[in-house]
Amino acid sequence: PRRRRIPRALMESLLIVFSILLAFALNGWWETRQRTRAAEHALASFEQEISRNRESLLRVAPYHRNLLEQFARISAEGSVRTFDDLRRLEGFEGFRPAFLTSAAWHSAMATGVLEHLEFDMVATLSQVYTLQERFSRHSETSFLAAPGALADENIGSTVLAATIYLTDVRYGAEELIENYERALRRLAER
């Protein structure tokens, strides 16, 4: 009787250890699966957001090019003496900076999903969102908020500032679009 209990106890102990190891393995598999799903969801969100931001820049680019040409021309001519003279600008509806979002990037950072992506992918996305942040800061029309910027006696300086602003926006947008396209190609490779 006592001899029978030892093998039985040993067998039960092995089954318990096996059950615990199996539970750990299943838990590890489930966590890996969840992280993989979260990473795939984040990559899809990046792709959608970057595509939307690219389209937003492409939509306003012709307007900004046209506006830049007109501001450069009137700045060179010195033909604007008052703000009323700006009404001659064809189709002028303000500076209309592109509206760019970064919700996917901020969400991925806040949830820790970036830890589960390849380094090269994170580096590519980080570069894109860093350039986008810089572009958004440079796209602010703060030159219009300067004291006296909207006074007729300062129209020449304001037109020159607008020309410089539009030049920066144009070239910044081109650089950002190139980086968006590079990131989208990288995202498509996954």
Side-chain angles (χ1 to χ4, degrees):
R2 187 173 174 97
R3 287 184 161 203
R4 288 183 162 172
R5 290 196 336 210
I6 291 175
R8 181 176 180 189
L10 195 55
M11 183 60 111
E12 287 176 3
S13 296
L14 286 173
L15 282 173
I16 290 170
V17 169
F18 177 75
S19 297
I20 291 170
L21 291 176
L22 181 61
F24 280 137
L26 286 173
N27 188 48
W29 170 81
W30 181 252
E31 286 178 4
T32 300
R33 185 172 179 220
Q34 292 298 94
R35 284 193 300 267
T36 301
R37 278 184 165 171
E40 285 299 319
H41 180 72
L43 290 171
S45 294
F46 287 131
E47 191 169 11
Q48 291 170 359
E49 184 170 73
I50 290 170
S51 291
R52 279 192 312 270
N53 288 344
R54 179 182 170 277
E55 292 308 313
S56 182
L57 284 175
L58 290 172
R59 238 186 336 273
V60 296
Y63 176 76
H64 286 153
R65 271 193 304 276
N66 179 45
L67 209 55
L68 173 58
E69 290 169 6
Q70 291 187 67
F71 266 94
R73 183 180 40 54
I74 64 172
S75 179
E77 292 172 354
S79 61
V80 176
R81 307 252 187 270
T82 68
F83 277 92
D84 282 340
D85 292 342
L86 288 179
R87 291 183 184 163
R88 290 182 289 162
L89 291 177
E90 186 178 315
F92 182 64
E93 298 172 357
F95 291 99
R96 294 183 12 202
F99 178 70
L100 307 175
T101 62
S102 56
W105 178 251
H106 290 292
S107 297
M109 286 184 9
T111 59
V113 171
L114 294 177
E115 293 176 23
H116 308 293
L117 300 178
E118 294 176 16
F119 176 82
D120 290 343
M121 180 63 77
V122 174
T124 298
L125 294 168
S126 179
Q127 180 180 7
V128 163
Y129 283 100
T130 299
L131 286 172
Q132 179 177 300
E133 175 63 30
R134 186 186 77 188
F135 176 79
S136 293
R137 277 194 319 273
H138 288 267
S139 294
E140 295 172 2
T141 54
S142 56
F143 69 92
L144 293 174
L150 300 178
D152 283 344
E153 61 269 10
N154 296 325
I155 188 70
S157 297
T158 302
V159 168
L160 179 60
T163 305
I164 293 168
Y165 164 80
L166 288 165
T167 302
D168 289 347
V169 166
R170 177 183 175 186
Y171 291 112
E174 289 173 1
E175 178 185 17
L176 189 52
I177 289 168
E178 287 174 18
N179 279 274
Y180 282 157
E181 290 171 351
R182 190 174 308 120
L184 289 169
R185 283 191 302 275
R186 178 75 172 91
L187 285 162
E189 292 171 359
R190 62 180 158 85

